[in-house]
Structures are given as C-alpha cells and as structure tokens.
Amino acid sequence: MGHLRYVHGYDSVDRVGRVSVDGPRLESDFDFRRARKIAGGMTLTFDVSARTRIFGLGYSYVRIRERSIGMDLRLWVLATPVDGSLIDLSLVSQVGEIRKPRRWMAGLGFLPVKLRGPIMNQFISAQQHGDVKQDLIIWSRKQYRSRPLLCRSDGEIMQFRRYCAQFYPDPGDPETG
C-alpha cells in the first residue's frame, strides 16, 4: 500500500492493493480524502474510492464511489496524439442516479431524483477541468526518455512502460531517432 500527499487538491491519497499490469492494461485502486470549508466555516469532507483502468496509450476509465454522499460516477480520459508533441484531450463524466444522498449537499436531497445526477455531473466536469488545468505546467515539461530514471517504488509500472515503449522511436536508430 502506498500513501501520497496532495494529488488534485486531495489532502490524503492512499493506494489500495497492488498495481496490476497485463500488457496494455494497467489497473490501480486509490482512496482519496479532502476537507473543504464552505459557506463561512462549515467543513465538508469528501471520501472517494477510485478504480482506475488504463488500456494502452490514450484510454483511461475510472469508476468512482463518493462514500460521504453515496454517489457513483464514471470518468473517461481520452488522449489522442495530434503531432509529435501535442495531444487532443477529451474528458467525459457520467454521474449515476442519486436516490438517497447520505448527507446534505447544497440542497441535493431536495431536488427531484432525475435532476441530481445531471447537476452533480456539471460539478464533476468543472472539477475535472480544474484538475487538468492544475497539471498543465507538469505536462508541458514532460519529455520522452528511452531510459527514464527509475526507483524501487515504480514497481509494476515498469511492465506497462515496456509495453508502451514499442510506440516510441528508438533514439539510437538513425531512421526513427
């Protein structure tokens, strides 16, 4: 199990179980927690579990359970290369029907059931957009390295890196590098 600090604004991120790799498929599970003050001092805590499935390059699917509200959602992250340095990034979210919210959240329990999911989906989409914008500085400095520096904590991710390496040119090859 691993513990990370501050990922996308979450105060606590814990890896649950092992990272699993099978060729182009990478699976990992995480628990996230975030406490935020709203409305002049009231603190809301978000308690999230995420099951991430990455299928090769460019397709990620995440199933999320927000336990403190009782909300299930799915996220898709689709990255399509445009040229040698740019990607087209599409983010899609879908919130399931929220029949009985476990806690008050901006009147969610007072809304008709059919409106709860779509309204929360708008909120989730805005959060996703903010997360991506927050990471732009990181992604703008990323570089492909045929022999990246590794550390013991990379663990199973190395199998996935080996799979992905076939899609990048060999820097030693005069025709492709």
Side-chain angles (χ1 to χ4, degrees):
M1 311 287 172
H3 179 76
L4 305 168
R5 190 84 176 120
Y6 197 80
V7 174
H8 291 304
Y10 284 84
D11 305 315
S12 174
V13 179
D14 293 300
R15 188 174 78 194
V16 179
R18 295 176 45 105
V19 172
S20 164
V21 176
D22 182 12
R25 185 178 167 118
L26 183 145
E27 299 181 1
S28 62
D29 298 332
F30 291 88
D31 285 339
F32 302 83
R33 281 192 175 55
R34 172 171 35 196
R36 292 289 176 260
K37 287 192 182 226
I38 63 165
M42 182 175 143
T43 300
L44 285 179
T45 301
F46 297 93
D47 183 12
V48 176
S49 73
R51 301 186 59 147
T52 302
R53 305 300 179 250
I54 299 172
F55 301 91
L57 301 174
Y59 177 72
S60 300
Y61 171 70
V62 184
R63 292 190 68 174
I64 295 175
R65 173 75 175 160
E66 206 300 326
R67 294 184 283 251
S68 64
I69 298 171
M71 178 176 65
D72 293 305
L73 59 138
R74 299 184 286 188
L75 303 175
W76 291 266
V77 180
L78 309 166
T80 305
V82 173
D83 60 22
S85 61
L86 298 176
I87 63 167
D88 179 38
L89 182 64
S90 297
L91 304 171
V92 179
S93 61
Q94 180 183 36
V95 174
E97 194 171 84
I98 306 167
R99 292 209 160 272
K100 295 181 182 179
R102 290 198 173 137
R103 69 171 167 146
W104 177 88
M105 183 166 174
L108 191 61
F110 297 109
L111 290 171
V113 172
K114 291 199 180 291
L115 291 179
R116 294 174 188 168
I119 288 172
M120 287 304 292
N121 197 48
Q122 292 296 315
F123 174 75
I124 296 301
S125 293
Q127 291 294 324
Q128 271 190 297
H129 185 257
D131 290 347
V132 169
K133 283 180 69 174
Q134 173 185 325
D135 288 348
L136 283 178
I137 190 72
I138 295 168
W139 290 105
S140 69
R141 296 180 180 166
K142 289 268 185 198
Q143 296 177 1
Y144 171 74
R145 296 184 189 266
S146 61
R147 296 186 158 289
L149 295 176
L150 306 176
C151 66
R152 207 174 328 156
S153 65
D154 286 337
E156 298 87 348
I157 197 79
M158 291 312 303
Q159 295 171 37
F160 190 69
R161 284 185 177 177
R162 278 191 287 279
Y163 167 79
C164 294
Q166 68 183 310
F167 301 105
Y168 293 95
D170 180 355
D173 184 346
E175 290 185 25
T176 62

